[in-house]
């Protein structure tokens, strides 16, 4: 009811302020684009400043504009309130300065929940309050695959459990990674391959390709984890640019992409492998993104060997590459305590059979790592690197056995309250909401029974619970044909009042879902 | 040779500067004490400023003085260079201001290696370059046990593997912990127990007791990890003081204790359980210690639930309470990567059988946690809490089964190169020096054999290794009656050229020591 009232008020205000109705409209969290004709001589990528101040009378945003080639300049804006917005441009070029306009922001469409933000310290939600639970995958260079493969990628994503995709801006294009059948046909800078680039001039068509990718992911509800820099020179010389070029590239990306609500910023993949950039340089680059992005999209960085200090205030969440964190229980809870931010394990090795050992997980190992991560209170990112499936590089189709199991896990997690670790100092692999919901994962252990015993928090004698046995690999959920009623054992634990246990099949990768019955 | 030359030069300089020879002498890294008569009226603990500038002509230190009761003021100084030092006092009290003197600093005695510092990012050494490998234990309130028990504690420590002792300044004295037979007979503030304290006046006898403890530990070569604050009110009201009192207490401790070379500062035990102090308050307290301690002794803090940001520049090493970090392999290497500082797991539960679950480890569990920590490239701290042995509170004797095993581990670690994790992204529980020395710990696994396979770093075909099988619990080292010669397997591993394995007894808690033969 409250929201409706606000909408009505917002609808009334513009009528009073503007005599003529705005010409254009865009939905809340959609992209409003101002297109301007400007100079095409000289180098409009360097030295020409352009921005616009957008306001609805209460709030003000000032996104940068960018040069899109052929004398065309654009300023993109993502309104976060319904109603009328006005704008005025600012530029050191007279032709582009002082241009005014307005538009109307309509309610969001059904699948538009706004950008994703951190919520409750360790979790995420969309701007409209809807929970967002990341289930990531990796399609580094999918934007540079042929059109048919890009279409296939979107179709695959749509029917997968994945709602976040890690993708590179600068393509190494199989020079360092899996050798693929495709040739790179588009480049970020003006010039000619392999290395004859004018780093001071961007190639707008290249960035249009990426923003089309971002848009396509948005249409199917997938977050685009846009990786701005990377250490994979790929023979093109994109790694060995100077800090000024890095900054110009980042500013250009922020100006072009920030208005897309599904954008997350990843400053780099394996950042420490770019040897010319120190942690202080990365601090600067982070602050640049923070300053330039008016919407404060999520910001993180993915480490190589040296782990960036994710505690820095400009980092919104952890995007860690550490395989042990998903292999062993207890690590993700510790990472939560260390960083007090959401923990995303953004590289946990890939399912596949390539020669590199980072791409040799079985589907079972990948599934195990996902379970360990989520029951630890974190989020994981999938990737697939079979010799016959270059998903992590090119996209296309998936042939692995883990995606179906990750979809099974996702169903369970989506139906659960937030998975916060419970009594993690003493108990491994237990998460949920004390007193109401417990998800217990046994990992590589293969117990034949589990003594019904829960940590005391929020429990009282007489509370009743149902128990389901989950086979994480065979994707079955079997309800135990008993109701368990708890009684206090000591200062730490409650047990079943008849001291009963739950029978288990003596296999690895089993889990329990324990739910309170009202 | 160089050092001798410097010494000779230092010996010559004072002769030129001072016509008369200094009256007193103290060894390098010993404590030189200036005693002054001053006012005993009013409150000399508050508002009276006193310090002295000590210089050898090149370097300058300005330690604070402190009031020791009965009109006596003291300034303590730890010289770090041999030769003549002069000093002049500064005070806002005329009687204590402008007093000059000098003394001569002699070479250190045999067991004096100076204070301990961080070395090579993850490790420690004394100021003279000698390696220091912490093997900690916990004797929180030993200074307040009866004299006979204090003597027994020192005798026990002397014959134990432990070279670092965690001890509290403010005693909860068994109010919160294990109930002991002793009564607290001395208090930090003037007043009467239980809670009638004048927080603005310290009781010098109390602090003399603590510094005697520090001195006694120093005499047997044990580092005193002095815990300045704690959340254990103990019924005395020491927790609920205000920030100004905390600061005055910390300044007083630094002024009194900093000249003892074996001092480490721990800002607090379980700091986050002091609810009135925020992380910003802790930042301030850290900076206070940093500013006031002229010798920059090691500084850390021990967490309760909320983990302090050990990345802060004023934290020299991590002093973490997290049990999983020592239970599971791979966590300590990750902590090293996160913090890039030495990792000390300063509370990993205690060996014992008390009702609280933090004091219920078996000796085998404690031993396992030590091995996991050291093979992870970190350091652990022991404690014992049997119903019949209150070691962690009162000191006295040790009755547990882990200290002998920790001594066994210490012998191995002392004889090894620095234990840095090797290939830790893929291999768990392997540490040492690639190409020369490997310590592999199998933990709870009970393999019947281990295929000889080492990560490639620094290896070349034809290198030869001997292998010893270590039973960490039974404290045996058995040499395998074979020499293993390596050949390259692939980009990652070398194996024995005859593809042989090492036979193992199929028991848990086994380790291998693999050493290159010249």
């Amino acid at each position: 009811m409250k929201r409706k009232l606000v909408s009505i008020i917002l609808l009334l205000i513009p009528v009073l302020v503007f005599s003529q109705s705005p010409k254009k409209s865009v939905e809340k969290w959609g992209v409003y684009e101002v297109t301007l004709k400007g100079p095409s001589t000289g180098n409009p990528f360097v030295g020409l400043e352009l921005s616009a101040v957008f306001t609805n009378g209460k709030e003000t945003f000032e996104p940068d504009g960018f040069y899109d080639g052929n004398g065309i300049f654009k300023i993109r804006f993502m309104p976060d309130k319904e109603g009328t917005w006005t704008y005025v441009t600012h530029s050191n070029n007279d032709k582009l300065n002082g241009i005014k306009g307005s538009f109307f922001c309509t309610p969001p469409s059904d699948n538009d929940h706004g950008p994703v933000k951190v919520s409750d310290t360790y979790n995420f939600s969309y701007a409209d309050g809807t929970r967002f639970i990341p289930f990531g995958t990796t399609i580094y260079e999918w934007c540079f695959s042929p059109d048919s493969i890009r279409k296939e990628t979107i179709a695959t994503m749509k029917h997968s459990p994945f709602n976040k995709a890690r993708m590179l801006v600068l393509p190494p294009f199989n020079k360092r990674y899996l050798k693929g059948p495709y040739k790179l046909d588009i480049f970020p800078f003006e010039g000619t391959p392999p290395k004859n680039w004018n780093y001071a001039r961007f190639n707008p068509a290249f960035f249009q390709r990426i923003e089309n990718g971002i848009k396509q992911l948005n249409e199917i509800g997938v977050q685009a984890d846009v990786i701005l820099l990377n250490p994979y020179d790929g023979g093109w010389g994109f790694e060995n640019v100077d800090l000024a070029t890095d900054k110009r590239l980042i500013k250009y990306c922020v100006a072009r992409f920030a208005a897309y609500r599904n954008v997350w910023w990843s400053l780099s993949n394996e950042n420490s492998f770019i040897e010319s950039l120190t942690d202080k340089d990365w601090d600067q680059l982070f602050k640049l993104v923070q300053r330039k992005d008016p919407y404060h999209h999520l910001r993180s960085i993915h480490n190589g060997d040296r782990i960036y200090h994710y505690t820095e205030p400009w980092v919104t969440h952890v995007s860690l590459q550490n395989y042990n964190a998903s292999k062993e229980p207890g690590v993700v809870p510790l990472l939560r305590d260390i960083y007090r931010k959401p923990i995303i394990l953004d590289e946990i090795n890939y399912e596949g059979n390539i020669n590199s050992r980072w791409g040799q997980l079985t589907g079972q190992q990948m599934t195990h790592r996902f379970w360990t991560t989520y029951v630890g209170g974190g989020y994981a990112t999938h990737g697939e690197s079979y010799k016959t499936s270059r998903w992590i590089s090119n996209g296309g189709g998936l042939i692995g056995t883990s995606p179906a199991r990750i979809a099974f896990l996702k169903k369970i997690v989506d139906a659960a309250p937030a998975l916060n670790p419970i009594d993690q100092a003493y108990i491994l692999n237990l998460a949920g909401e004390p007193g109401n919901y417990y998800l217990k994962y046994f990992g590589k252990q293969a117990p034949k029974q589990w003594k019904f015993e829960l940590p005391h928090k929020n429990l009282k004698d007489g509370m009743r619970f149902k128990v389901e046995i989950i086979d994480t690999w065979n994707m079955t959920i079997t309800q135990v044909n008993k109701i368990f009623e708890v009684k206090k054992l000591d200062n730490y634990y409650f047990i079943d009042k008849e001291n009963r246990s739950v029978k288990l099949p003596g296999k690895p990768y089993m889990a329990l879902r324990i739910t309170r019955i009202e």
Side-chain angles (χ1 to χ4, degrees), chain A residues 135 159-162 402-414 475:
Chain A
F135 279 80
H159 297 100
S160 82
F162 306 120
S402 67
R405 277 77 188 185
I406 294 168
F408 175 73
L409 167 64
K410 185 171 192 290
K411 247 191 219 169
I412 291 167
V413 173
D414 282 348
M475 299 182 278

Side-chain angles (χ1 to χ4, degrees), chain A residues 122-135:
Chain A
Y122 302 109
N123 304 310
F124 297 96
S125 65
Y126 293 99
D128 74 354
T130 307
R131 248 172 111 187
F132 176 75
I133 306 174
F135 279 80

